[in-house]
mmCIF file of all heavy atoms in Angstrom:
data_model
loop_
_atom_site.group_PDB
_atom_site.id
_atom_site.type_symbol
_atom_site.label_atom_id
_atom_site.label_comp_id
_atom_site.label_asym_id
_atom_site.label_seq_id
_atom_site.Cartn_x
_atom_site.Cartn_y
_atom_site.Cartn_z
ATOM 1 N N ALA J 111 8.415 -8.273 -10.970
ATOM 2 C CA ALA J 111 8.737 -6.847 -10.900
ATOM 3 C C ALA J 111 10.244 -6.632 -10.987
ATOM 4 O O ALA J 111 11.031 -7.499 -10.596
ATOM 5 C CB ALA J 111 8.196 -6.252 -9.611
ATOM 6 N N GLY J 112 10.654 -5.462 -11.488
ATOM 7 C CA GLY J 112 12.074 -5.140 -11.603
ATOM 8 C C GLY J 112 12.780 -6.202 -12.416
ATOM 9 O O GLY J 112 12.265 -6.682 -13.443
ATOM 10 N N ALA J 113 13.949 -6.609 -11.922
ATOM 11 C CA ALA J 113 14.707 -7.630 -12.648
ATOM 12 C C ALA J 113 13.885 -8.907 -12.821
ATOM 13 O O ALA J 113 14.079 -9.647 -13.790
ATOM 14 C CB ALA J 113 16.008 -7.935 -11.907
ATOM 15 N N GLY J 114 12.955 -9.150 -11.913
ATOM 16 C CA GLY J 114 12.105 -10.349 -12.004
ATOM 17 C C GLY J 114 11.320 -10.372 -13.303
ATOM 18 O O GLY J 114 11.141 -11.435 -13.919
ATOM 19 N N ALA J 115 10.833 -9.201 -13.730
ATOM 20 C CA ALA J 115 10.084 -9.122 -14.990
ATOM 21 C C ALA J 115 11.012 -9.421 -16.165
ATOM 22 O O ALA J 115 10.662 -10.194 -17.072
ATOM 23 C CB ALA J 115 9.469 -7.738 -15.152
ATOM 24 N N ASN J 116 12.206 -8.851 -16.121
ATOM 25 C CA ASN J 116 13.097 -9.006 -17.277
ATOM 26 C C ASN J 116 13.744 -10.385 -17.338
ATOM 27 O O ASN J 116 14.090 -10.859 -18.424
ATOM 28 C CB ASN J 116 14.112 -7.859 -17.296
ATOM 29 C CG ASN J 116 13.386 -6.539 -17.500
ATOM 30 O OD1 ASN J 116 12.312 -6.519 -18.126
ATOM 31 N ND2 ASN J 116 13.930 -5.458 -16.976
ATOM 32 N N ILE J 117 13.874 -11.024 -16.192
ATOM 33 C CA ILE J 117 14.371 -12.410 -16.183
ATOM 34 C C ILE J 117 13.312 -13.304 -16.846
ATOM 35 O O ILE J 117 13.628 -14.159 -17.671
ATOM 36 C CB ILE J 117 14.700 -12.865 -14.741
ATOM 37 C CG1 ILE J 117 15.954 -12.121 -14.250
ATOM 38 C CG2 ILE J 117 14.898 -14.382 -14.668
ATOM 39 C CD1 ILE J 117 16.169 -12.155 -12.753
ATOM 40 N N ALA J 118 12.033 -13.068 -16.514
ATOM 41 C CA ALA J 118 10.962 -13.850 -17.161
ATOM 42 C C ALA J 118 11.001 -13.623 -18.671
ATOM 43 O O ALA J 118 10.919 -14.582 -19.457
ATOM 44 C CB ALA J 118 9.597 -13.447 -16.603
ATOM 45 N N LEU J 119 11.158 -12.366 -19.072
ATOM 46 C CA LEU J 119 11.130 -12.055 -20.511
ATOM 47 C C LEU J 119 12.359 -12.581 -21.251
ATOM 48 O O LEU J 119 12.352 -12.673 -22.481
ATOM 49 C CB LEU J 119 10.996 -10.538 -20.734
ATOM 50 C CG LEU J 119 9.727 -9.890 -20.155
ATOM 51 C CD1 LEU J 119 9.677 -8.399 -20.476
ATOM 52 C CD2 LEU J 119 8.452 -10.573 -20.653
ATOM 53 N N ALA J 120 13.410 -12.928 -20.493
ATOM 54 C CA ALA J 120 14.610 -13.492 -21.131
ATOM 55 C C ALA J 120 14.421 -14.979 -21.452
ATOM 56 O O ALA J 120 15.220 -15.568 -22.181
ATOM 57 C CB ALA J 120 15.815 -13.318 -20.207
ATOM 58 N N CYS J 121 13.367 -15.572 -20.905
ATOM 59 C CA CYS J 121 13.128 -16.998 -21.177
ATOM 60 C C CYS J 121 12.557 -17.165 -22.585
ATOM 61 O O CYS J 121 12.077 -16.203 -23.188
ATOM 62 C CB CYS J 121 12.185 -17.578 -20.122
ATOM 63 S SG CYS J 121 12.920 -17.549 -18.467
ATOM 64 N N ASP J 122 12.616 -18.391 -23.107
ATOM 65 C CA ASP J 122 12.265 -18.590 -24.522
ATOM 66 C C ASP J 122 10.757 -18.594 -24.760
ATOM 67 O O ASP J 122 10.290 -18.101 -25.775
ATOM 68 C CB ASP J 122 12.873 -19.912 -25.011
ATOM 69 C CG ASP J 122 14.382 -19.898 -24.846
ATOM 70 O OD1 ASP J 122 14.989 -18.891 -25.237
ATOM 71 O OD2 ASP J 122 14.939 -20.860 -24.299
ATOM 72 N N ILE J 123 10.021 -19.214 -23.864
ATOM 73 C CA ILE J 123 8.561 -19.240 -23.992
ATOM 74 C C ILE J 123 8.009 -18.841 -22.621
ATOM 75 O O ILE J 123 8.383 -19.451 -21.611
ATOM 76 C CB ILE J 123 8.044 -20.644 -24.396
ATOM 77 C CG1 ILE J 123 8.643 -21.063 -25.752
ATOM 78 C CG2 ILE J 123 6.512 -20.660 -24.463
ATOM 79 C CD1 ILE J 123 8.169 -22.416 -26.263
ATOM 80 N N VAL J 124 7.178 -17.810 -22.609
ATOM 81 C CA VAL J 124 6.685 -17.314 -21.318
ATOM 82 C C VAL J 124 5.175 -17.533 -21.206
ATOM 83 O O VAL J 124 4.399 -17.006 -22.008
ATOM 84 C CB VAL J 124 7.006 -15.810 -21.134
ATOM 85 C CG1 VAL J 124 6.578 -15.346 -19.734
ATOM 86 C CG2 VAL J 124 8.479 -15.523 -21.373
ATOM 87 N N PHE J 125 4.802 -18.328 -20.209
ATOM 88 C CA PHE J 125 3.399 -18.470 -19.825
ATOM 89 C C PHE J 125 3.204 -17.622 -18.572
ATOM 90 O O PHE J 125 4.103 -17.554 -17.722
ATOM 91 C CB PHE J 125 3.066 -19.928 -19.462
ATOM 92 C CG PHE J 125 3.022 -20.849 -20.649
ATOM 93 C CD1 PHE J 125 4.140 -21.582 -21.026
ATOM 94 C CD2 PHE J 125 1.863 -20.978 -21.400
ATOM 95 C CE1 PHE J 125 4.107 -22.427 -22.129
ATOM 96 C CE2 PHE J 125 1.811 -21.824 -22.490
ATOM 97 C CZ PHE J 125 2.934 -22.550 -22.867
ATOM 98 N N ALA J 126 2.031 -17.004 -18.440
ATOM 99 C CA ALA J 126 1.759 -16.266 -17.199
ATOM 100 C C ALA J 126 0.338 -16.571 -16.755
ATOM 101 O O ALA J 126 -0.589 -16.680 -17.576
ATOM 102 C CB ALA J 126 1.941 -14.770 -17.407
ATOM 103 N N ALA J 127 0.180 -16.692 -15.444
ATOM 104 C CA ALA J 127 -1.159 -16.892 -14.873
ATOM 105 C C ALA J 127 -1.954 -15.603 -15.069
ATOM 106 O O ALA J 127 -1.376 -14.508 -15.060
ATOM 107 C CB ALA J 127 -1.036 -17.214 -13.390
ATOM 108 N N GLU J 128 -3.274 -15.773 -15.206
ATOM 109 C CA GLU J 128 -4.161 -14.620 -15.401
ATOM 110 C C GLU J 128 -3.952 -13.540 -14.339
ATOM 111 O O GLU J 128 -4.033 -12.344 -14.626
ATOM 112 C CB GLU J 128 -5.612 -15.094 -15.309
ATOM 113 C CG GLU J 128 -6.385 -14.870 -16.580
ATOM 114 C CD GLU J 128 -7.693 -15.653 -16.567
ATOM 115 O OE1 GLU J 128 -8.087 -16.189 -15.514
ATOM 116 O OE2 GLU J 128 -8.309 -15.727 -17.640
ATOM 117 N N SER J 129 -3.670 -13.964 -13.109
ATOM 118 C CA SER J 129 -3.521 -12.991 -12.021
ATOM 119 C C SER J 129 -2.110 -12.411 -11.940
ATOM 120 O O SER J 129 -1.831 -11.567 -11.086
ATOM 121 C CB SER J 129 -3.855 -13.661 -10.689
ATOM 122 O OG SER J 129 -2.897 -14.669 -10.430
ATOM 123 N N ALA J 130 -1.203 -12.874 -12.796
ATOM 124 C CA ALA J 130 0.179 -12.381 -12.749
ATOM 125 C C ALA J 130 0.268 -11.016 -13.416
ATOM 126 O O ALA J 130 -0.627 -10.607 -14.164
ATOM 127 C CB ALA J 130 1.114 -13.372 -13.441
ATOM 128 N N SER J 131 1.374 -10.323 -13.140
ATOM 129 C CA SER J 131 1.571 -9.020 -13.792
ATOM 130 C C SER J 131 3.069 -8.765 -13.941
ATOM 131 O O SER J 131 3.897 -9.436 -13.305
ATOM 132 C CB SER J 131 0.910 -7.917 -12.965
ATOM 133 O OG SER J 131 1.390 -7.966 -11.640
ATOM 134 N N PHE J 132 3.383 -7.796 -14.787
ATOM 135 C CA PHE J 132 4.773 -7.436 -15.082
ATOM 136 C C PHE J 132 4.932 -5.949 -14.769
ATOM 137 O O PHE J 132 4.151 -5.132 -15.258
ATOM 138 C CB PHE J 132 5.080 -7.705 -16.555
ATOM 139 C CG PHE J 132 4.965 -9.158 -16.919
ATOM 140 C CD1 PHE J 132 3.722 -9.718 -17.221
ATOM 141 C CD2 PHE J 132 6.074 -9.984 -16.914
ATOM 142 C CE1 PHE J 132 3.593 -11.066 -17.531
ATOM 143 C CE2 PHE J 132 5.962 -11.344 -17.220
ATOM 144 C CZ PHE J 132 4.716 -11.884 -17.530
ATOM 145 N N ILE J 133 5.938 -5.625 -13.955
ATOM 146 C CA ILE J 133 6.122 -4.213 -13.584
ATOM 147 C C ILE J 133 7.604 -3.835 -13.737
ATOM 148 O O ILE J 133 8.475 -4.448 -13.108
ATOM 149 C CB ILE J 133 5.704 -3.938 -12.112
ATOM 150 C CG1 ILE J 133 4.317 -4.535 -11.826
ATOM 151 C CG2 ILE J 133 5.714 -2.443 -11.826
ATOM 152 C CD1 ILE J 133 3.875 -4.399 -10.375
ATOM 153 N N GLN J 134 7.846 -2.835 -14.562
ATOM 154 C CA GLN J 134 9.206 -2.286 -14.676
ATOM 155 C C GLN J 134 9.352 -1.282 -13.528
ATOM 156 O O GLN J 134 9.281 -0.062 -13.714
ATOM 157 C CB GLN J 134 9.393 -1.624 -16.053
ATOM 158 C CG GLN J 134 9.285 -2.580 -17.226
ATOM 159 C CD GLN J 134 10.418 -3.597 -17.259
ATOM 160 O OE1 GLN J 134 11.577 -3.284 -16.927
ATOM 161 N NE2 GLN J 134 10.126 -4.824 -17.663
ATOM 162 N N ALA J 135 9.545 -1.848 -12.330
ATOM 163 C CA ALA J 135 9.449 -1.044 -11.100
ATOM 164 C C ALA J 135 10.651 -0.121 -10.866
ATOM 165 O O ALA J 135 10.631 0.710 -9.963
ATOM 166 C CB ALA J 135 9.311 -2.001 -9.916
ATOM 167 N N PHE J 136 11.669 -0.256 -11.671
ATOM 168 C CA PHE J 136 12.947 0.431 -11.415
ATOM 169 C C PHE J 136 12.787 1.945 -11.243
ATOM 170 O O PHE J 136 13.394 2.550 -10.363
ATOM 171 C CB PHE J 136 13.923 0.177 -12.574
ATOM 172 C CG PHE J 136 14.108 -1.261 -12.934
ATOM 173 C CD1 PHE J 136 13.277 -1.890 -13.847
ATOM 174 C CD2 PHE J 136 15.130 -2.007 -12.364
ATOM 175 C CE1 PHE J 136 13.460 -3.218 -14.192
ATOM 176 C CE2 PHE J 136 15.327 -3.337 -12.699
ATOM 177 C CZ PHE J 136 14.477 -3.943 -13.612
ATOM 178 N N CYS J 137 11.983 2.560 -12.147
ATOM 179 C CA CYS J 137 11.876 4.037 -12.137
ATOM 180 C C CYS J 137 11.315 4.542 -10.814
ATOM 181 O O CYS J 137 11.589 5.682 -10.418
ATOM 182 C CB CYS J 137 11.011 4.515 -13.308
ATOM 183 S SG CYS J 137 9.328 3.860 -13.269
ATOM 184 N N LYS J 138 10.600 3.691 -10.097
ATOM 185 C CA LYS J 138 9.970 4.144 -8.849
ATOM 186 C C LYS J 138 10.970 4.293 -7.716
ATOM 187 O O LYS J 138 10.660 4.871 -6.678
ATOM 188 C CB LYS J 138 8.873 3.161 -8.434
ATOM 189 C CG LYS J 138 7.765 3.094 -9.465
ATOM 190 C CD LYS J 138 6.624 2.266 -8.993
ATOM 191 C CE LYS J 138 5.505 2.338 -10.010
ATOM 192 N NZ LYS J 138 4.336 1.589 -9.633
ATOM 193 N N ILE J 139 12.173 3.684 -7.907
ATOM 194 C CA ILE J 139 13.194 3.843 -6.860
ATOM 195 C C ILE J 139 14.454 4.512 -7.421
ATOM 196 O O ILE J 139 15.518 4.437 -6.824
ATOM 197 C CB ILE J 139 13.543 2.483 -6.184
ATOM 198 C CG1 ILE J 139 13.902 1.405 -7.232
ATOM 199 C CG2 ILE J 139 12.401 1.986 -5.317
ATOM 200 C CD1 ILE J 139 14.510 0.151 -6.633
ATOM 201 N N GLY J 140 14.306 5.133 -8.581
ATOM 202 C CA GLY J 140 15.447 5.892 -9.122
ATOM 203 C C GLY J 140 16.434 5.088 -9.937
ATOM 204 O O GLY J 140 17.544 5.555 -10.212
ATOM 205 N N LEU J 141 16.030 3.860 -10.339
ATOM 206 C CA LEU J 141 16.959 3.028 -11.120
ATOM 207 C C LEU J 141 16.510 2.911 -12.572
ATOM 208 O O LEU J 141 15.431 3.385 -12.940
ATOM 209 C CB LEU J 141 17.071 1.625 -10.494
ATOM 210 C CG LEU J 141 17.685 1.560 -9.100
ATOM 211 C CD1 LEU J 141 17.846 0.099 -8.665
ATOM 212 C CD2 LEU J 141 19.039 2.272 -9.051
ATOM 213 N N ILE J 142 17.306 2.255 -13.355
ATOM 214 C CA ILE J 142 16.951 2.019 -14.761
ATOM 215 C C ILE J 142 16.679 0.520 -14.950
ATOM 216 O O ILE J 142 17.190 -0.305 -14.186
ATOM 217 C CB ILE J 142 18.062 2.485 -15.734
ATOM 218 C CG1 ILE J 142 19.263 1.513 -15.710
ATOM 219 C CG2 ILE J 142 18.550 3.903 -15.410
ATOM 220 C CD1 ILE J 142 19.933 1.379 -17.035
ATOM 221 N N PRO J 143 15.874 0.162 -15.935
ATOM 222 C CA PRO J 143 15.630 -1.270 -16.159
ATOM 223 C C PRO J 143 16.942 -1.986 -16.501
ATOM 224 O O PRO J 143 17.691 -1.528 -17.365
ATOM 225 C CB PRO J 143 14.683 -1.305 -17.360
ATOM 226 C CG PRO J 143 14.110 0.063 -17.435
ATOM 227 C CD PRO J 143 15.159 0.995 -16.896
ATOM 228 N N ASP J 144 17.189 -3.094 -15.789
ATOM 229 C CA ASP J 144 18.388 -3.882 -16.082
ATOM 230 C C ASP J 144 17.959 -5.285 -16.511
ATOM 231 O O ASP J 144 16.807 -5.479 -16.920
ATOM 232 C CB ASP J 144 19.322 -3.914 -14.855
ATOM 233 C CG ASP J 144 18.623 -4.407 -13.601
ATOM 234 O OD1 ASP J 144 17.722 -5.254 -13.695
ATOM 235 O OD2 ASP J 144 18.976 -3.932 -12.491
ATOM 236 N N SER J 145 18.878 -6.209 -16.448
ATOM 237 C CA SER J 145 18.610 -7.600 -16.841
ATOM 238 C C SER J 145 18.058 -7.669 -18.261
ATOM 239 O O SER J 145 17.203 -8.500 -18.584
ATOM 240 C CB SER J 145 17.636 -8.276 -15.855
ATOM 241 O OG SER J 145 18.155 -8.179 -14.547
ATOM 242 N N GLY J 146 18.531 -6.769 -19.097
ATOM 243 C CA GLY J 146 18.162 -6.799 -20.520
ATOM 244 C C GLY J 146 16.869 -6.082 -20.852
ATOM 245 O O GLY J 146 16.458 -6.070 -22.009
ATOM 246 N N GLY J 147 16.240 -5.446 -19.872
ATOM 247 C CA GLY J 147 14.946 -4.800 -20.130
ATOM 248 C C GLY J 147 14.988 -3.757 -21.234
ATOM 249 O O GLY J 147 14.088 -3.705 -22.076
ATOM 250 N N THR J 148 16.041 -2.940 -21.251
ATOM 251 C CA THR J 148 16.097 -1.877 -22.270
ATOM 252 C C THR J 148 16.418 -2.447 -23.652
ATOM 253 O O THR J 148 16.308 -1.758 -24.657
ATOM 254 C CB THR J 148 17.141 -0.795 -21.908
ATOM 255 O OG1 THR J 148 18.429 -1.425 -21.828
ATOM 256 C CG2 THR J 148 16.815 -0.122 -20.586
ATOM 257 N N TRP J 149 16.858 -3.701 -23.682
ATOM 258 C CA TRP J 149 17.151 -4.369 -24.966
ATOM 259 C C TRP J 149 15.922 -5.121 -25.448
ATOM 260 O O TRP J 149 15.504 -5.015 -26.591
ATOM 261 C CB TRP J 149 18.334 -5.338 -24.764
ATOM 262 C CG TRP J 149 18.919 -5.891 -26.027
ATOM 263 C CD1 TRP J 149 19.924 -5.336 -26.772
ATOM 264 C CD2 TRP J 149 18.557 -7.115 -26.670
ATOM 265 N NE1 TRP J 149 20.194 -6.139 -27.843
ATOM 266 C CE2 TRP J 149 19.381 -7.229 -27.810
ATOM 267 C CE3 TRP J 149 17.630 -8.112 -26.411
ATOM 268 C CZ2 TRP J 149 19.301 -8.319 -28.684
ATOM 269 C CZ3 TRP J 149 17.541 -9.190 -27.279
ATOM 270 C CH2 TRP J 149 18.376 -9.288 -28.403
ATOM 271 N N THR J 150 15.324 -5.877 -24.524
ATOM 272 C CA THR J 150 14.200 -6.747 -24.884
ATOM 273 C C THR J 150 12.925 -5.964 -25.184
ATOM 274 O O THR J 150 12.261 -6.203 -26.197
ATOM 275 C CB THR J 150 13.907 -7.732 -23.716
ATOM 276 O OG1 THR J 150 15.113 -8.375 -23.360
ATOM 277 C CG2 THR J 150 12.872 -8.767 -24.090
ATOM 278 N N LEU J 151 12.564 -5.045 -24.288
ATOM 279 C CA LEU J 151 11.242 -4.405 -24.407
ATOM 280 C C LEU J 151 11.019 -3.685 -25.734
ATOM 281 O O LEU J 151 9.997 -3.927 -26.388
ATOM 282 C CB LEU J 151 10.993 -3.469 -23.219
ATOM 283 C CG LEU J 151 10.666 -4.193 -21.916
ATOM 284 C CD1 LEU J 151 10.689 -3.224 -20.745
ATOM 285 C CD2 LEU J 151 9.312 -4.893 -21.989
ATOM 286 N N PRO J 152 11.933 -2.795 -26.175
ATOM 287 C CA PRO J 152 11.654 -2.132 -27.458
ATOM 288 C C PRO J 152 11.522 -3.130 -28.606
ATOM 289 O O PRO J 152 10.743 -2.919 -29.522
ATOM 290 C CB PRO J 152 12.884 -1.234 -27.683
ATOM 291 C CG PRO J 152 13.614 -1.211 -26.411
ATOM 292 C CD PRO J 152 13.195 -2.373 -25.582
ATOM 293 N N ARG J 153 12.242 -4.242 -28.501
ATOM 294 C CA ARG J 153 12.173 -5.242 -29.577
ATOM 295 C C ARG J 153 10.855 -5.993 -29.571
ATOM 296 O O ARG J 153 10.330 -6.323 -30.614
ATOM 297 C CB ARG J 153 13.333 -6.236 -29.456
ATOM 298 C CG ARG J 153 14.631 -5.657 -29.956
ATOM 299 C CD ARG J 153 15.811 -6.561 -29.656
ATOM 300 N NE ARG J 153 16.999 -6.060 -30.313
ATOM 301 C CZ ARG J 153 17.738 -5.053 -29.877
ATOM 302 N NH1 ARG J 153 17.411 -4.425 -28.768
ATOM 303 N NH2 ARG J 153 18.795 -4.654 -30.557
ATOM 304 N N VAL J 154 10.343 -6.296 -28.395
ATOM 305 C CA VAL J 154 9.133 -7.122 -28.375
ATOM 306 C C VAL J 154 7.831 -6.313 -28.361
ATOM 307 O O VAL J 154 6.831 -6.760 -28.888
ATOM 308 C CB VAL J 154 9.129 -8.199 -27.254
ATOM 309 C CG1 VAL J 154 10.240 -9.195 -27.428
ATOM 310 C CG2 VAL J 154 9.194 -7.584 -25.876
ATOM 311 N N ILE J 155 7.868 -5.111 -27.763
ATOM 312 C CA ILE J 155 6.588 -4.359 -27.715
ATOM 313 C C ILE J 155 6.681 -3.005 -28.402
ATOM 314 O O ILE J 155 5.692 -2.278 -28.445
ATOM 315 C CB ILE J 155 6.070 -4.174 -26.259
ATOM 316 C CG1 ILE J 155 7.110 -3.476 -25.378
ATOM 317 C CG2 ILE J 155 5.646 -5.508 -25.658
ATOM 318 C CD1 ILE J 155 6.586 -3.111 -23.982
#
Side-chain angles (χ1 to χ4, degrees):
N116 296 332
I117 289 163
L119 300 182
C121 296
D122 301 313
I123 300 182
V124 184
F125 288 94
E128 242 166 11
S129 65
S131 54
F132 297 83
I133 311 176
Q134 296 294 323
F136 308 88
C137 60
K138 297 187 175 181
I139 52 169
L141 295 185
I142 74 146
D144 55 33
S145 304
T148 60
W149 191 89
T150 308
L151 285 169
R153 283 172 172 79
V154 297
I155 57 173

